Amino acid sequence: MLEQLIDIFLLAFLAIISIAIVRIRNVFTAVMLFGIYSLVSASLFMILDAADVAFTEAAVGAGISTILMLATLSLVGRDREKPLVKKKISFLPLVIVLVTGATLVYGIVDLPPFGAADNPVHTHVAPRYIFQSMSEIDVPNLVTAVLASYRGFDTLGEVVVIFTAGIGVLLLIGGRRRKEENADE
Amino acid sequence: MILTSAALAILVTMLLAIIRALLGPTIYDRILAVNMFGTKTVLLIAVIAGIAGRGDYLDIALVYAMINFIAIVAVMKYFEYGSLGSIGNDAPGKQEGE
């Protein structure tokens, strides 16, 4: 009962903040609202018992993203506002979005029931992880065993992606500073 | 029972903080609203930990408190100096905070 109530509150928060972000003109305010949005979705992940995802969402969404967007704002100017676009209602995007959404909803109709014990996701490899990871991997934490060993290649790919993103950010931010130092000399 | 009422009170406070962040005439209202919303998130997670009987959620609440603090410090620094370091408007090579 209480969990449903918290869910309803948090989802309503998400909707309110999203609409506000779309409609607001001031860019700084939008960045602030993005921070609140991330905190709300992190709370939702917590309620769904996905603590690691919630960690990531809070650290990346509320922490790093806000700081990166502020750094961008400090480069492009704080008082910049989104230009007022002329309100022209076009129906084609709305139709496309509605059709895509309806297709997605239609696609989940024949999914197995949520949380049922005999779903394929629970019967395929999960028993092996649970019963044999101790003898095969010898790591007491199941999630660590799966991420670091059973899905080692997958994790390696993720690390490569994050490493590439980090290099990109460093090039974007660090390149300008070097140019300024050269101009100063 | 007391946890339930605490959760409800926190949710209502979150709603008020969102309203302040949306209406806030000055930028300080919005910064304060975001900061308070982060604090309420920490409290909500702590209450959920109490309701669900999961003591390990409290660690996550602590990490949230730290992230919230760092983000707010970054926001205030940006607002005070106009940049996050010596990249933007500050003189190059000048130490931050001077």
Side-chain angles (χ1 to χ4, degrees):
Chain A
M1 174 57 201
L2 182 66
E3 285 216 352
Q4 273 94 352
L5 198 67
I6 295 179
D7 277 346
I8 292 171
F9 257 93
L10 291 179
L11 289 172
F13 288 168
L14 279 191
I16 294 173
I17 297 166
S18 317
I19 295 172
I21 289 174
V22 171
R23 294 194 59 86
I24 216 148
R25 301 252 78 83
N26 190 315
V27 183
F28 183 82
T29 311
V31 172
M32 293 286 92
L33 289 177
F34 271 128
I36 295 187
Y37 186 94
S38 290
L39 286 171
V40 174
S41 27
S43 316
L44 272 174
F45 290 141
M46 280 301 302
I47 288 175
L48 289 173
D49 211 0
D52 50 337
V53 186
F55 258 132
T56 315
E57 176 65 38
V60 174
I64 303 296
S65 295
T66 309
I67 295 172
L68 280 181
M69 281 198 247
L70 283 178
T72 315
L73 273 188
S74 75
L75 292 181
V76 302
R78 153 195 322 181
D79 298 322
R80 181 161 302 195
E81 307 225 328
K82 275 194 292 187
L84 196 66
V85 285
K86 208 168 58 180
K87 291 247 170 69
K88 197 183 68 177
I89 300 176
S90 52
F91 285 100
L92 183 63
L94 185 64
V95 170
I96 292 176
V97 166
L98 285 181
V99 168
T100 312
T103 316
L104 290 175
V105 171
Y106 176 73
I108 65 171
V109 164
D110 56 351
L111 279 184
F114 178 73
D118 55 345
N119 282 354
V121 66
H122 299 309
T123 56
H124 179 45
V125 286
R128 170 164 173 171
Y129 291 159
I130 292 172
F131 291 116
Q132 295 184 26
S133 75
M134 205 49 202
S135 59
E136 284 182 352
I137 314 290
D138 199 19
V139 172
N141 190 323
L142 266 184
V143 177
T144 309
V146 169
L147 284 181
S149 184
Y150 288 112
R151 297 183 192 160
F153 277 116
D154 186 41
T155 306
L156 179 65
E158 287 174 11
V159 172
V160 169
V161 168
I162 294 172
F163 183 66
T164 316
I167 290 178
V169 169
L170 281 182
L171 284 176
L172 280 175
I173 294 180
R176 183 187 158 97
R177 175 166 46 198
R178 201 174 308 129
K179 210 182 294 170
E180 276 185 357
E181 278 166 6
N182 287 345
D184 201 44
E185 280 162 5
Chain B
M1 194 60 210
I2 190 167
L3 286 178
T4 310
S5 48
L8 287 179
I10 290 171
L11 285 173
V12 171
T13 318
M14 284 170 120
L15 184 64
L16 293 176
I18 286 183
I19 292 174
R20 181 46 62 199
L22 294 183
L23 295 180
T26 70
I27 224 117
Y28 302 105
D29 291 315
R30 300 195 158 116
I31 294 175
L32 197 57
V34 173
N35 191 12
M36 196 173 95
F37 197 88
T39 313
K40 295 309 155 209
T41 312
V42 173
L43 293 181
L44 183 68
I45 291 174
V47 170
I48 290 174
I51 290 174
R54 300 273 305 261
D56 50 335
Y57 280 9
L58 287 178
D59 297 342
I60 296 168
L62 286 177
V63 172
Y64 273 32
M66 287 189 277
I67 290 172
N68 190 31
F69 175 72
I70 292 174
I72 291 299
V73 165
V75 170
M76 297 313 288
K77 196 177 164 199
Y78 162 75
F79 203 71
E80 182 71 23
Y81 300 110
S83 75
L84 292 177
S86 57
I87 306 170
N89 302 328
D90 295 356
K94 191 177 167 186
Q95 285 300 310
E96 4 176 281
E98 271 184 12

